[in-house]
């Protein structure tokens, strides 16, 4: 398995993978394509807030992960949000998700105090993987307030 940083040349595959992810049962609802384009533009602009990596196995792009950066007083430092981790269905269950998460830990925990992610409770496979790797469930209720349109 290889992780390769997304570049401007990856727009077509990144957009396809993100569209697949946001139309899968792993998320509550699809999002506007314009939101995916905005994230891609930010990924290409800088790694200050957002980074993305293509997941490559046997020479084929099989998924992607997207990482967002914040600071948390509660954590006492920087927090890396694993915003998205998507593998195409035929590549699931082969250990790639574990490899990606372990790579993230190796690469980022020296600079970040906490790793954080979300999962749909119905996604039992993902929840099991995250628990196996030491992620703990938080009893927070997340709330959002949207501004602007798509």
């Amino acid at each position: 398995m290889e992780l390769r940083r997304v570049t401007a040349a990856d727009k077509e595959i990144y957009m396809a993978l993100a569209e697949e992810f946001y139309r899968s049962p792993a998320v509550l609802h699809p999002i506007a394509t314009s939101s995916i384009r905005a994230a891609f533009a930010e990924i290409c602009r800088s790694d200050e807030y957002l980074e993305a990596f293509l997941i490559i196995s046997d020479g084929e792009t099989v998924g992607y992960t997207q990482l967002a950066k914040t600071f948390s007083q509660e954590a006492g430092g920087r927090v890396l949000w694993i915003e998205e981790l998507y593998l195409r269905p035929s590549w699931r269950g082969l250990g790639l998700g574990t490899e990606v998460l372990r790579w993230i830990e190796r690469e980022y925990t020296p600079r970040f105090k906490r790793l954080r992610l979300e999962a749909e409770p119905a996604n039992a496979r993902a929840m099991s993987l995250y628990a196996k790797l030491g992620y703990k469930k938080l009893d927070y209720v997340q709330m959002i307030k949207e501004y602007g349109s798509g």
Side-chain angles (χ1 to χ4, degrees):
M1 190 235 14
E2 170 192 356
L3 287 169
R4 184 177 61 72
R5 186 177 302 276
V6 169
T7 68
D10 298 314
K11 184 173 186 175
E12 185 177 320
I13 187 66
Y14 178 85
M15 294 296 294
L17 291 166
E19 292 280 358
E20 288 174 29
F21 175 70
Y22 277 100
R23 276 142 187 78
S24 77
V27 296
L28 287 174
H29 55 81
I31 65 171
T33 299
S34 60
S35 294
I36 297 170
R37 272 195 230 99
F40 183 78
E42 180 61 25
I43 289 162
C44 293
R45 184 193 71 80
S46 163
D47 66 0
E48 182 178 8
Y49 299 111
L50 194 61
E51 291 182 82
F53 297 86
L54 296 177
I55 303 166
I56 301 165
S57 185
D58 295 332
E60 184 178 339
T61 301
V62 301
Y64 76 102
T65 189
Q66 187 187 94
L67 310 172
K69 302 164 185 178
T70 65
F71 191 95
S72 168
Q73 180 168 276
E74 181 181 309
R78 294 174 74 198
V79 176
L80 186 73
W81 276 82
I82 303 166
E83 286 282 338
E84 297 167 15
L85 173 52
Y86 175 71
L87 290 167
R88 288 184 158 156
S90 62
W91 292 90
R92 296 177 191 158
L94 302 174
L96 294 173
T98 299
E99 284 187 61
V100 170
L101 290 167
R102 288 191 172 140
W103 179 87
I104 291 169
E105 288 178 12
R106 281 192 311 272
E107 293 296 315
Y108 289 89
T109 54
R111 296 174 283 139
F112 289 82
K113 299 280 284 184
R114 177 181 285 170
L115 298 180
R116 192 164 176 172
L117 51 74
E118 302 174 330
E120 287 302 309
N123 192 345
R125 286 178 73 179
M127 297 289 284
S128 176
L129 170 63
Y130 303 149
K132 181 180 90 177
L133 293 175
Y135 289 82
K136 308 255 187 283
K137 184 180 173 202
L138 293 173
D139 288 328
Y140 292 114
V141 172
Q142 291 202 10
M143 300 171 72
I144 63 171
K145 186 174 183 179
E146 300 281 355
Y147 288 94
S149 61

